[in-house]
């Protein structure tokens, strides 16, 4: 009896950029699925348990407080894994992310009410850039005097702009010219096929992400 021949592995011809884009898309969708499982599964179960405890023990029981803490921790974990607004729009996802912006850093966000459909992997990537910028600003010895984040969409493409004014731009530029930040900008260009850059003049620093 002849043995069955093994089917040859499918070996598509692809570039490194195509492979990285596929991997990023795969990871973004996987994280979104995990976050949705938390929101639609575990959080719903905890809410039902809390309602039952209320009926049995009343509002002052310690177990209710414990369930509430678990609920908030799981909700926060789900939001860190994936924005709850990924399926809605980029402006809503940015607005939600900026709600946790440090109070000591003045922020003005100019976000349109309407936005064309955006791949979840693009939204995830842009949120990552904004979060990295937030961490960078918090680590500075002095905070910016103003920060304006704007999002526009035109016939030639989309653009996220971050305009910052700071008394000591050299400290911020040193961090933004670091290898870690350069990796963020390069990753954006590779995964979106767009362009990212930073310019500065005097106390003003401008980041632009175009795709």
């Amino acid at each position: 009896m002849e043995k069955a021949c093994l089917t040859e592995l499918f070996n598509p011809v692809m570039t490194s950029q195509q492979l990285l884009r596929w991997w990023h898309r795969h990871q973004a969708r996987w994280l979104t699925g995990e976050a949705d499982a938390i929101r639609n599964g575990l959080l719903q179960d905890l809410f039902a348990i809390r309602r039952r405890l209320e009926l049995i023990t009343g509002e002052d029981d310690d177990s209710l407080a414990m369930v509430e803490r678990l609920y908030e921790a799981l909700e926060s974990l789900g939001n860190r894994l994936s924005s709850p607004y990924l399926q809605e729009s980029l402006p809503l996802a940015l607005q939600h992310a900026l709600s946790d912006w440090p109070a000591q850093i003045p922020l003005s966000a100019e976000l349109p009410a309407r936005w064309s459909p955006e791949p979840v992997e693009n939204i995830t990537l842009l949120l990552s850039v904004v979060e990295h910028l937030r961490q960078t600003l918090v680590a500075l010895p002095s905070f910016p005097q103003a920060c304006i984040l704007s999002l526009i969409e035109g016939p030639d493409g989309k653009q996220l702009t971050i305009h910052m004014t700071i008394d000591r731009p050299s400290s911020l530029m040193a961090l933004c010219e670091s290898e870690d930040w350069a990796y963020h900008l390069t990753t954006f260009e590779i995964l979106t096929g767009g362009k990212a850059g930073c310019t500065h003049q005097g106390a003003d620093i401008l980041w632009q992400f175009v795709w």
Side-chain angles (χ1 to χ4, degrees), residues 159-175:
Q159 180 173 301
L160 173 67
T161 301
I162 303 172
H163 182 191
M164 202 164 300
T165 302
I166 185 169
D167 287 338
R168 297 172 59 186
S170 58
S171 60
L172 180 57
M173 288 306 301
L175 287 172

Side-chain angles (χ1 to χ4, degrees), residues 170-181:
S170 58
S171 60
L172 180 57
M173 288 306 301
L175 287 172
C176 292
E177 290 174 353
S178 66
E179 185 178 75
D180 190 48
W181 184 247

Side-chain angles (χ1 to χ4, degrees), residues 18-31 119-126 128 187 191-192:
Q18 288 174 320
L19 182 60
L20 287 172
R21 289 173 185 172
W22 172 85
W23 178 248
H24 175 62
R25 182 170 63 251
H26 171 77
Q27 287 294 95
R29 292 178 179 177
W30 177 78
L31 288 173
V120 294
E121 59 267 25
N122 281 5
I123 298 179
T124 300
L125 183 61
L126 288 164
S128 173
T187 299
L191 296 179
T192 65

